[in-house]
Amino acid sequence: MIGDNKRRKDAHDKMDGSLRYTADVDYPGLWHAATVRAPLAHGRLRGIRQGGNIDWSKLIFATAADIPGTKNVRMIAQDMPFLADDLVRYKGEPVAVVAAPTRAEAQMACRAVEVEMEPLEAILTLDEIVAKHQRGDPDLEVLSQWSFGHGDVEAALESADIVVEGAYTTPHQEQAYLETNAMTAIPEDDGGVCVEGSLQCPYYVAPAVAAMLDVGLDKLHVRALPMGGAFGGKEDFPSVLGGHVALLAQKAGRPVRIVLDRSEDIAYSTKRHPAWMHIRTGAAKDGTLIAADIDIVFDGGAYATMSPVVLSRGAIHAPGPYRWPVVQVRAVAYRTHTPPNGAFRGFGVPQTAYAIESHMDRLAQVCEVEPHTFRLNNRLRIGDRTGTSQVLKDSVASEEVLKHTMEVTDFARKWRKWGIKGTDKHDLGAPARGVGLSFFWHGAGFTGAGEARIAARVALDLVQGGRVRIRVSSTEMGQGAHTVLPQIVANALGVPHSQVSVDPVDTRFVPDSGPTVASRTTMIVGGELEGCALDARAWLLQSTADKLQRAPETLSVVEGRLRGGKEDLGSFATHLQAALGDNELKTFERQHALAPHLQWDEASHTGDAYATYTWGCCVAEVLIHRDTYEVEVPRLTMVVDVGRIINPKLAKGQVEGGTLQALGYALCEEVGVGEDGALLRDSFQTYILPTTLDAPEIEVHMLEKPYTRGPGGAKGLGEMPMNGAAPALANAVEHALGVRVTDLPLSPEKIFAACSAARAGRSS
Amino acid sequence: MSTLERHWLVNGVKQTLRFEPLARLLDVLREQLGLLSVKEGCGEGECGTCSVLIDGTPQLACMVAAAQLDDGASLLTAEGLENDALGRAMKQGFDEEAAVQCGYCTPAMLLGGYALLEAVPEAEEDQIRVALAGHICRCTGYGAIVSAVQRAAELTKEGA
């Protein structure tokens, strides 16, 4: 069962349109909401006037003054208001919300609201904050900062034969889930409110909205509906929209829904943090690493929201999967007056992985060691110490991943033949050909003591008739959790996959298994469910053994039937009925606790940052057209270790999809910030996503280095595929043309400029 | 404004629709016929998520005014795929190849593949990629979707 390509449980309902996403659910008397937004990026609100030719008595209008409870959204940091009250910190920040019988009426009413502001000076871009950061300008507002490491980095760099320094920048990236953000609030007969929608983390939304309404959690429950993609973009933002519709629904006494249109969704919801990374490294002549000093600046946007944890994960992974005898990392997120940046698959790591992997190629070049050999020689091994002083104890697949990559891609031969310095003859009419490598890792589950704080709870019900029902708050956003979790349970229990299902995710009925983020669902939630299933199996076998007067260890459950050795003793359902007696069901519960050997000090960022890591290697092959500087990508190869694979086809889908998102990040996706603080490319006409014709052949190889505490040996999966392609492509472009572009995306304009500068440099 | 009336064949069933002159086909199909497989992804003709087949040709339901369709027009949405062998093969291919992830692009992708295989039963990979180039999928990386259409072609050939 584990390792089988079980079909998705939701595939047929998705294919014939019968699966209901948030905007598909009808409620009698449903009204629609729209948002009044601030016209300036920074300033004080001086007035909100309901103007125009609108009969406001027939609509519902709400501002911050109408919020009965907590005015700020409860998140990692609780600094963002549901509705701006006094200070506005980004252009488009919500200042009021309107509900009307139709969406068009709500939008028309919003346009009739005049918002008066007194402007303040705004800081808008990464470039501005980096310049101020380098000057030590006290104007900058720190949203979060971490520093950690070990050893005297200046002394170590002084002693190094070779020192290489570089700076790398990355832009905003939009999650671009196809279903835009959508939330509905439904007043209930008992005076409570149900908030449902497209959301990853029901137990983030519930307390945030309850606190805003000033009601207890007995009066507010949250339903997570199936999602049309999320990728982190529906981690924190649904709490904001949930608050808006709950406020309106309570005032209106009827259900209210908001569905963002695409341009609103791109312009005002969270993005990947733009980042600047400055790296100084030292190595011995033979290419042995000596020290790394890494300075990281993230553009946090207007509020801290998720920045502390995104920055932390990015910083922890910044030194890459390498053994550094000495390493120091300083990371800071500053406020800008643009929409808050937040969670996006990879959670800070795609930025720092792009930086360190670009840098490692440069360092290898100066050391005159081939890039693959350089990485193999310096890779982290069991017993090595990471930047946070975590000593790696098990499930380190660094060597296997690198060696397997070399085998399946024939990297070394291609690297020697292709490229500007390669042995192949260069036909100036033909595209420049290059190959690039990246090597990366990803901590599975929450950082540090995060999993201990969450203490995920799961429940498993064995129900009369033989059904097995999983109750968790882990949501289905397309990643396949509601197919894979039943696979883990079915495997441990000994019943067919079809007999196990995941209950609808409603905080009234499911325990808090934590948010659906951080590559934690299979490993952490699945691990606890596997425990429940084993408990359930033991209980059923004991009960049956008692009735049959046999020893329980002589019995087993195989494919939904009880067996005593080879003897068939009847169906699981029959014996379950006997064991349950008059009870409708029996529930098994478990709660996650961190392994006792894991130690973490948050303030100093020292210790076991993650229970385990996944490992990956990406090889990109590029053809760069000499007239247009367009980067064509015939093939990307991903070799990954994510522990034991539960469902190979679904796992491969995660790797392929994440890799294409990373290709978009590397080559074409860029939002841009206008002079007035507006995000510029706020539509699919201008924000360019890869299509079938841009997508390369993505070859995926999965190695399985089991993690003893994961279900069946599984580790995390979802985020890591996002880390590899951008640096591999940057390295391939450098290999092909001999120029390095140090800021993403690798647009034809930037590559052309770099080539022109190199030519000018050669001729002067 | 006056209401228009049209008579179409939708998923093989005769339907009479009444709508405002500027109504989008997307809204008419969703709101009047409850065809919720037709999804809005961007509302500006860029993502392909809302596409349906009009007289066998993929069209973007967010960009087409319902009034543009004459009486007698024949429409196919994903709800109607179960009605014939190619539609069922397409779904089986998507299921087997794990081409469905979040599912939001899926109904339109199925229709795009269906229209292609109806015209070119043994479509090659590059033809499939061109035919589906107007459909954004953010989950899969497209490889599984291309394989799914190829699988549907095989199934149809076997069944023929």
Side-chain angles (χ1 to χ4, degrees), chain A residues 13-26 257, chain B residues 11 26-40 49-50 52 77-80 103-108:
Chain A
D13 290 348
K14 284 177 170 172
M15 290 193 287
D16 67 12
S18 58
L19 186 113
R20 296 288 180 260
Y21 298 84
T22 302
D24 301 333
V25 186
D26 196 21
R257 172 177 303 151
Chain B
N11 296 330
L26 169 65
D27 299 321
V28 171
L29 294 177
R30 282 180 63 88
E31 290 164 17
Q32 294 198 35
L33 297 178
L35 296 171
L36 298 174
S37 76
V38 189
K39 309 239 173 264
E40 179 164 347
T49 304
C50 65
V52 298
T77 71
E79 283 87 349
Y104 222 70
C105 74
T106 305

Side-chain angles (χ1 to χ4, degrees), chain A residues 155 188 210 212 258 329:
Chain A
E188 294 186 327
M212 185 212 70
I258 191 160
V329 180

Side-chain angles (χ1 to χ4, degrees), chain A residues 251-404:
Chain A
K251 263 189 112 171
R254 56 168 71 237
V256 175
R257 172 177 303 151
I258 191 160
V259 179
L260 296 191
D261 67 30
R262 179 59 62 185
S263 64
E264 263 186 307
D265 199 301
I266 299 180
Y268 308 121
S269 72
T270 58
K271 309 265 157 301
R272 188 184 304 290
H273 293 73
W276 171 86
M277 287 125 320
H278 182 256
I279 303 176
R280 284 193 305 154
T281 51
K285 265 201 229 59
D286 67 354
T288 305
L289 299 180
I290 289 177
D293 185 49
I294 303 175
D295 196 11
I296 301 170
V297 172
F298 271 27
D299 170 354
Y303 297 100
T305 63
M306 308 292 290
S307 285
V309 280
V310 179
L311 183 69
S312 162
R313 186 179 277 267
I316 291 167
H317 290 78
Y322 302 105
R323 40 166 39 159
W324 297 100
V326 172
V327 56
Q328 293 293 341
V329 180
R330 292 170 305 284
V332 57
Y334 293 114
R335 191 196 303 279
T336 58
H337 299 105
T338 57
N341 294 310
F344 188 165
R345 190 182 207 166
F347 215 71
V349 185
Q351 293 95 316
T352 59
Y354 161 69
I356 191 69
E357 281 307 286
S358 297
H359 191 85
M360 290 308 267
D361 251 34
R362 294 184 54 210
L363 186 56
Q365 207 170 41
V366 178
C367 294
E368 296 178 346
V369 180
E370 292 184 325
H372 50 289
T373 309
F374 190 72
R375 287 172 171 87
L376 198 57
N377 290 347
N378 288 299
R379 72 184 193 277
L380 281 168
R381 299 149 167 91
I382 293 228
D384 281 346
R385 184 155 74 133
T386 70
T388 65
S389 295
Q390 174 169 11
V391 177
L392 298 174
K393 295 196 177 68
D394 64 354
S395 196
V396 174
S398 55
E399 183 177 4
E400 290 92 327
V401 160
L402 278 164
K403 288 193 167 162
H404 194 77

Side-chain angles (χ1 to χ4, degrees), chain A residues 414-426 735:
Chain A
K414 289 173 182 167
W415 195 80
R416 289 166 198 153
K417 272 167 63 79
W418 302 351
I420 195 163
K421 295 176 190 155
T423 53
D424 274 3
K425 280 200 185 125
H426 296 286
H735 183 241

Side-chain angles (χ1 to χ4, degrees), chain A residues 4-19:
Chain A
D4 287 352
N5 287 318
K6 291 292 171 199
R7 305 278 176 82
R8 288 188 71 103
K9 286 180 176 280
D10 53 6
H12 279 278
D13 290 348
K14 284 177 170 172
M15 290 193 287
D16 67 12
S18 58
L19 186 113

Side-chain angles (χ1 to χ4, degrees), chain A residues 7-8 14-15 21 23-24 174-175 178 228-229 262 478 649 653 656-657 661 669 683-685 690-692, chain B residues 30 36-37 39 41 44 46 78-79 91 95-96 100-105 110 129 133 136 138-140 142:
Chain A
R7 305 278 176 82
R8 288 188 71 103
K14 284 177 170 172
M15 290 193 287
Y21 298 84
D24 301 333
E174 161 61 28
Q175 294 87 354
L178 277 181
R262 179 59 62 185
K649 272 199 178 171
E656 290 173 345
Q661 290 179 350
E669 295 183 32
S683 82
F684 283 172
Q685 288 181 18
T691 70
T692 48
Chain B
R30 282 180 63 88
L36 298 174
S37 76
K39 309 239 173 264
E44 57 182 17
E46 289 291 331
E79 283 87 349
K91 286 169 35 171
D95 189 25
E96 286 180 11
V100 182
Q101 285 194 27
C102 87
Y104 222 70
C105 74
L110 287 163
R129 286 189 179 266
I136 298 290
R138 191 58 155 169
C139 296
T140 62
Y142 301 109

Side-chain angles (χ1 to χ4, degrees), chain A residues 10 36 105 167 225 243 245 257 341 352 373 440 447 492 540 680 761:
Chain A
D10 53 6
V36 179
E105 288 168 276
L225 301 186
V245 286
R257 172 177 303 151
N341 294 310
T352 59
T373 309
F440 46 95
T447 307
L540 183 65
L680 291 176

